Amino acid sequence: MAANPAEKKETVFYYPPVDFVKNAAIPGMDAYRALCRAAEENYEGFWEELARENVLWHKPFTKVLNDTNPPFYKWFEDGELNVSWNCLDKHLANGNAEKDAIIFEADDGTVTKVTYRQLHERVCRLANGLKSLGVGKGDRVVIYMAMSIEAVVAMQACARIGAIHSVVFGGFSAPSLGERIVNAGAVAVITADMQIRGGRRLPLKAIVDEALALNDNHTVKNIVVYRRTGDGIPFTEGRDCWMDELMARQSAECEPEWVDAEHPLFILYTSGSTGNPKGAQHASGGFLLWAIMTMRWTFDIKPSDVFWCTADIGWITGHTYNAYGPLATGATILLFEGVPTYPHAGRFWEMIDKHKVSIFYTAPTAIRSLIKASSEDNRVAPEHYDLSSLRLLGSVGEPINPEAWLWFYRHIGKERCPIVDTFWQTETGGHVIAPMPGATPLVPGSCTLPLPGLSVSVVDETGQELPWGQGGILVINRPWPSMIRTVWGNDERYKTHYWPEELGGRLYQAGDGAIRDPQTGYFTITGRIDDVLNVSGHALGTMEVESVLSAHPMVAEAAVVGKPDDLTGESICAFVILKNELPKGEAAKHIASDLRKWVSREISPIARPKEIRFGENLPKTRSGKIMRRLLRVIARGEEITQDISTLENPAILEQLRQSL
Ligand code: WTA
């Protein structure tokens, strides 16, 4: 939609504080522009220099970018390295062995710390343990754990031996976990006996057992179990072992497996608009480089920082900005097992105060829920805590609305901390568009400008760049080091999904819409352009939820759409047609509650529809296609102004509208 410049309100900028600029990695817009110019003038040379200076290579690369077979790009392909070596051994050699690497706070408030030396030892022991089970280079290992030091150890141990990890978020159900284990062809699973969140226990190991029992075609030979609670759990002789017992038998030194830069570091499943989740495959060298550069540029990381990224390791944010980036840059990170509202909604502020956190990176949905909580109960308001250690704030996962941005800026950052609103995706490996905190004047609600080196545009359906002020499709114009390499086991899907023919096949399509400010060129993300929903910052395919609903014995057909939600950004509204007659009153409530439980169990509680509406049919075109755009209008409670002439059964709209 074209914005009318005449109606445009005066833009208010929030400038970086002078003290921040003085010591910043990118001190001011001139420094930012100089980096962008360097990349424009010599694209490969720009990346080459960064990769030589910031990554430790076992064997230096001689080639930078191989673009002979687009869109299957390769970076630094003849270089050899080990990511775990870059995250751990490097610091032992440079005098940081006794520095805290991880401060872990458990759900109940217990604090455990590990230094870089201790972390190195644990990673080596588990790496040796995995090798003793026969796990080796290129093997896939599924990690199904909650936030813990051991989860980071597990990821790093895989990297150390060249095994490819695939972390599955601990909130996913047995069927979702099983599907990923099978797709990845995992030979081992690393899990925990229990997960504890908000005072509640969830039996992770039992869910792994169930996931394997559901799939007799799985290839798992071993399950390694971290003893979180020591609760008695069933063990399968010969297949299952305790992580501590396995590690105790091993040497504390493990020579890393040197791998090619393109060797896959991990697979992370992400929801697509159609079909099953896609395994985004990332490469060792390029991913590591961008994790390091964005720690330096976006987070301005310094040796004295305590860095807290609240994202779970089950998501990409927890990969890049918990398990890898901060360790590769020698930071101290805080890891949190629990939830922001337990035992009270002041927990985040209390933890920032207690651990003297200096960089705090979280999601808009968490901010919004804490704003609400503190307005309802002043005892959990941030004003009761000392937040003076903070110097930088960050936001990720979904657009941050200006009201939430301003609250975060005033009440948490006390108007002294820049906020970096970071736009990126599982597939991009690291930040794509984000302010540079010592340079970029901030505008609430805008992720501002691309990172140096990233060429980003807004284009129309044919791939033509649009003028500023006109909304369109967000694309990345050139390959970049931390980009997704392929969809695990499905090159074709990678190619058609991310490099669509309609756009000429040479532009990476992010799947989001965007608009640039007519004056500043700043980007604002306008939301997904496909059928991917964003609930509390978690991507969910509408198809995924629909197929689970349709698989319920009572359901004939279901369609799912997103609806704006004050707290979660977007919420799920499901339209359901039952095999039997249309349910009314209490019966409808019962069935709706059953369906919600069903979706939780089959996918995850995140996918549970907030609203379920029953009807006798769905609005369909004459060719039988469900008209989701009409369902979206109904879900929002808006008037239907669209053309409905292609609709087979217009009367159904009224029935669905009244179905709430
Ligand atoms: C959305 C999370 C607006 C976007 C890192 C993207 C955002 C999807 C932002 C990727 C942001 C992420 N502003 N939208 N700052 N950050 N998104 O793969 O729709 O879990 O495509 O990666 O989240 O979600 P994913």
Side-chain angles (χ1 to χ4, degrees), residues 452-514:
L454 281 166
S455 167
V456 185
S457 298
V458 178
V459 301
D460 67 12
E461 303 77 48
T462 66
Q464 283 304 309
E465 178 145 14
L466 289 167
W468 294 2
Q470 223 166 304
I473 302 166
L474 186 77
V475 294
I476 305 179
N477 300 304
R478 309 184 80 164
W480 68 104
S482 68
M483 62 192 290
I484 176 178
R485 292 306 194 266
T486 189
V487 170
W488 178 258
N490 198 341
D491 286 349
E492 193 50 34
R493 195 169 174 196
Y494 163 72
K495 193 168 164 178
T496 50
H497 185 84
Y498 296 106
W499 306 87
E501 276 305 319
E502 305 88 85
L503 304 183
R506 292 293 165 93
L507 298 174
Y508 168 84
Q509 178 181 280
D512 286 283

Side-chain angles (χ1 to χ4, degrees), residues 113-274:
K113 296 181 182 185
V114 282
T115 63
Y116 271 96
R117 188 180 49 72
Q118 291 166 327
L119 186 63
H120 176 264
E121 178 179 332
R122 286 200 206 179
V123 169
C124 286
R125 283 183 186 277
L126 183 58
N128 287 328
L130 290 172
K131 280 204 276 192
S132 76
L133 298 175
V135 180
K137 183 175 169 186
D139 286 339
R140 275 81 62 206
V141 176
V142 162
I143 299 177
Y144 185 64
M145 295 176 84
M147 291 291 271
S148 53
I149 294 172
E150 287 67 20
V152 175
V153 168
M155 293 165 82
Q156 287 280 348
C158 288
R160 196 155 189 99
I161 61 173
I164 305 166
H165 62 67
S166 183
V167 183
V168 177
F169 175 57
F172 276 117
S173 63
S176 300
L177 172 63
E179 184 182 13
R180 287 157 173 79
I181 290 173
V182 170
N183 187 279
V187 299
V189 177
I190 308 180
T191 187
D193 50 359
M194 290 284 161
Q195 152 171 350
I196 309 181
R197 272 164 74 83
R200 298 221 309 260
R201 287 179 180 211
L202 189 76
L204 290 182
K205 164 65 164 61
I207 298 172
V208 175
D209 289 342
E210 197 188 328
L212 295 185
L214 286 171
N215 295 279
D216 44 21
N217 57 339
H218 75 79
T219 45
V220 173
K221 295 195 199 74
N222 292 99
I223 303 181
V224 179
V225 187
Y226 162 54
R227 206 187 298 262
R228 171 66 186 89
T229 60
D231 291 16
I233 52 163
F235 255 55
T236 300
E237 205 54 50
R239 184 195 68 179
D240 305 348
C241 67
W242 288 108
M243 186 190 273
D244 50 48
E245 290 173 5
L246 177 69
M247 285 166 68
R249 296 194 290 267
Q250 309 299 327
S251 150
E253 288 294 335
C254 174
E255 175 70 7
E257 179 79 32
W258 304 110
V259 299
D260 297 341
E262 281 296 312
H263 181 72
L265 179 63
F266 64 84
I267 304 165
L268 183 58
Y269 286 87
T270 177
S271 291
S273 45
T274 52

Side-chain angles (χ1 to χ4, degrees), residues 171-453:
F172 276 117
S173 63
S176 300
L177 172 63
E179 184 182 13
R180 287 157 173 79
I181 290 173
V182 170
N183 187 279
V187 299
V189 177
I190 308 180
T191 187
D193 50 359
M194 290 284 161
Q195 152 171 350
I196 309 181
R197 272 164 74 83
R200 298 221 309 260
R201 287 179 180 211
L202 189 76
L204 290 182
K205 164 65 164 61
I207 298 172
V208 175
D209 289 342
E210 197 188 328
L212 295 185
L214 286 171
N215 295 279
D216 44 21
N217 57 339
H218 75 79
T219 45
V220 173
K221 295 195 199 74
N222 292 99
I223 303 181
V224 179
V225 187
Y226 162 54
R227 206 187 298 262
R228 171 66 186 89
T229 60
D231 291 16
I233 52 163
F235 255 55
T236 300
E237 205 54 50
R239 184 195 68 179
D240 305 348
C241 67
W242 288 108
M243 186 190 273
D244 50 48
E245 290 173 5
L246 177 69
M247 285 166 68
R249 296 194 290 267
Q250 309 299 327
S251 150
E253 288 294 335
C254 174
E255 175 70 7
E257 179 79 32
W258 304 110
V259 299
D260 297 341
E262 281 296 312
H263 181 72
L265 179 63
F266 64 84
I267 304 165
L268 183 58
Y269 286 87
T270 177
S271 291
S273 45
T274 52
N276 310 331
K278 321 184 268 295
Q281 178 183 321
H282 278 284
S284 304
F287 173 83
L288 176 68
L289 173 63
W290 203 228
I292 293 174
M293 292 325 300
T294 49
M295 283 305 297
R296 303 232 157 100
W297 288 344
T298 318
F299 292 125
D300 192 52
I301 195 79
K302 298 282 187 289
S304 54
D305 278 317
V306 176
F307 179 83
W308 186 14
C309 161
T310 64
D312 193 280
I313 47 123
W315 309 110
I316 188 69
T317 310
H319 280 59
T320 317
Y321 302 110
N322 273 326
Y324 292 110
L327 299 178
T329 49
T332 296
I333 63 172
L334 176 61
L335 275 190
F336 177 41
E337 183 179 40
V339 297
T341 47
Y342 177 85
H344 57 79
R347 183 79 185 260
F348 272 7
W349 324 133
E350 186 179 77
M351 286 178 61
I352 290 171
D353 184 348
K354 177 165 153 194
H355 300 289
K356 301 294 163 232
V357 171
S358 57
I359 303 176
F360 179 58
Y361 188 37
T362 195
T365 183
I367 299 168
R368 286 191 297 263
S369 77
L370 298 177
I371 295 174
K372 185 159 174 268
S374 71
S375 73
E376 285 165 4
D377 178 359
N378 179 265
R379 285 173 304 178
V380 297
E383 278 65 32
H384 299 302
Y385 304 91
D386 177 7
L387 305 181
S388 60
S389 56
L390 287 171
R391 66 180 196 93
L392 178 61
L393 303 174
S395 167
V396 60
E398 51 178 320
I400 176 161
N401 48 309
E403 300 74 42
W405 193 100
L406 284 169
W407 185 90
F408 200 32
Y409 187 73
R410 292 184 181 133
H411 293 265
I412 308 305
K414 314 288 180 195
E415 304 187 10
R416 338 171 255 101
C417 305
I419 298 179
V420 286
D421 173 3
T422 60
F423 167 81
W424 59 297
Q425 310 174 298
T426 304
E427 295 87 344
T428 67
H431 303 150
V432 174
I433 308 176
M436 299 295 95
T440 320
L442 306 172
V443 174
S446 167
C447 49
T448 75
L449 297 168
L451 273 282

